């Protein structure tokens, strides 16, 4: 069962690192997304956007390195619930369902159905509370973090090449 918990850590780390990476690549798009929710004064949008980046990077690292056990899960669940509330507020304001976001830049699959995605992640994190927590060496966790980072960069490069029609797919 420790493998399942490690798998959850990798999934959550990959989700938050991918989100961080794609937002960091396109800070203007991030600020536009934050602005679109109409909950933050214009003068704070740049600072709040930077804060989101820092939180997402921190969560990616904490999950990859398996630090702060229950605290990381509770923090992540609260953040995902906050995002769900923002999406619901946006839906109410616009009068229609929010079917996508730009949280993952050009990784369109991850941008679809943000409420469902966040609820699934919350359920996975709740499941992790009942699973045993494996104790691997720190070097193994650093390798997992490196794998998350490299796979995200690879996926981005793959998408960029595919969009430029340089791949025979």
């Amino acid at each position: 069962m420790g493998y399942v918990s490690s798998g959850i850590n990798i999934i959550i780390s990959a989700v938050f690192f991918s989100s961080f990476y794609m937002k960091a690549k396109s800070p203007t798009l991030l600020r536009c997304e934050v602005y679109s929710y109409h909950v933050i004064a214009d003068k704070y949008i740049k600072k709040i956007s930077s804060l989101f980046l820092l939180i997402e990077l921190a969560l990616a690292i904490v999950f990859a390195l398996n630090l702060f056990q229950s605290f990381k899960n509770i923090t992540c669940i609260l953040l995902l619930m906050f995002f769900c509330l923002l999406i619901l507020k946006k839906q109410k304001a616009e009068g229609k369902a929010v079917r996508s976001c730009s949280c993952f830049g050009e990784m369109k699959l991850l941008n679809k159905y943000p409420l469902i995605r966040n609820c699934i992640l919350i359920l996975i994190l709740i499941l992790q509370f009942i699973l045993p927590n494996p104790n691997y060496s720190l070097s193994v966790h650093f390798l997992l973090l490196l794998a998350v980072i490299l796979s995200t960069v690879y996926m981005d490069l793959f998408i960029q090449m595919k969009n430029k029609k340089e791949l025979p797919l």
Side-chain angles (χ1 to χ4, degrees):
M1 289 306 246
Y3 294 120
V4 175
S5 186
S6 293
I8 291 171
N9 281 339
I10 293 168
I11 289 168
I12 301 298
S13 178
V15 165
F16 279 100
F17 186 78
S18 297
S19 181
F20 159 79
Y21 177 81
M22 297 310 280
K23 287 175 184 167
K25 273 183 53 177
S26 185
T28 304
L29 182 62
L30 169 60
R31 287 193 295 274
C32 289
E33 182 74 13
V34 171
Y35 176 79
S36 75
Y37 288 92
H38 304 292
V39 293
I40 298 167
D42 292 354
K43 64 182 179 179
Y44 298 117
I45 287 180
K46 194 172 185 178
K47 290 177 183 174
I48 295 298
S49 298
S50 298
L51 180 63
F52 279 141
L53 287 174
L54 288 173
I55 290 170
E56 288 179 334
L57 179 61
L59 283 172
I61 292 169
V62 165
F63 273 92
L65 299 180
N66 196 27
L67 303 172
F68 308 119
Q69 308 316 321
S70 295
F71 178 74
K72 74 178 182 225
N73 287 56
I74 293 168
T75 302
C76 192
I77 288 169
L78 291 174
L79 182 65
L80 289 167
M81 289 171 70
F82 174 70
F83 289 157
C84 285
L85 290 173
L86 287 177
I87 292 166
L88 290 171
K89 181 195 178 304
K90 187 175 185 179
Q91 278 184 188
K92 185 177 179 185
E94 293 180 359
K96 61 181 179 180
V98 175
R99 297 189 189 275
S100 68
C101 63
S102 60
C103 303
F104 295 93
E106 294 177 13
M107 295 180 177
K108 292 176 176 56
L109 178 66
L110 291 174
N111 284 331
K112 291 182 179 180
Y113 308 107
L115 274 176
I116 295 170
R117 178 198 62 225
N118 289 352
C119 289
I120 290 170
L121 291 173
I122 290 169
L123 290 173
I124 289 171
L125 288 164
I126 291 170
L127 170 68
Q128 192 175 36
F129 276 116
I130 61 173
L131 295 172
N133 190 26
N135 272 336
Y136 300 122
S137 69
L138 193 56
S139 60
V140 169
H141 291 292
F142 274 111
L143 288 174
L144 292 175
L145 178 60
L146 181 62
V148 165
I149 291 169
L150 291 175
S151 62
T152 301
V153 172
Y154 171 78
M155 182 58 95
D156 179 42
L157 292 173
F158 180 84
I159 290 169
Q160 295 299 322
M161 289 189 301
K162 186 176 177 185
N163 287 343
K164 292 180 181 178
K165 305 290 188 224
E166 294 178 12
L167 290 176
L169 297 176

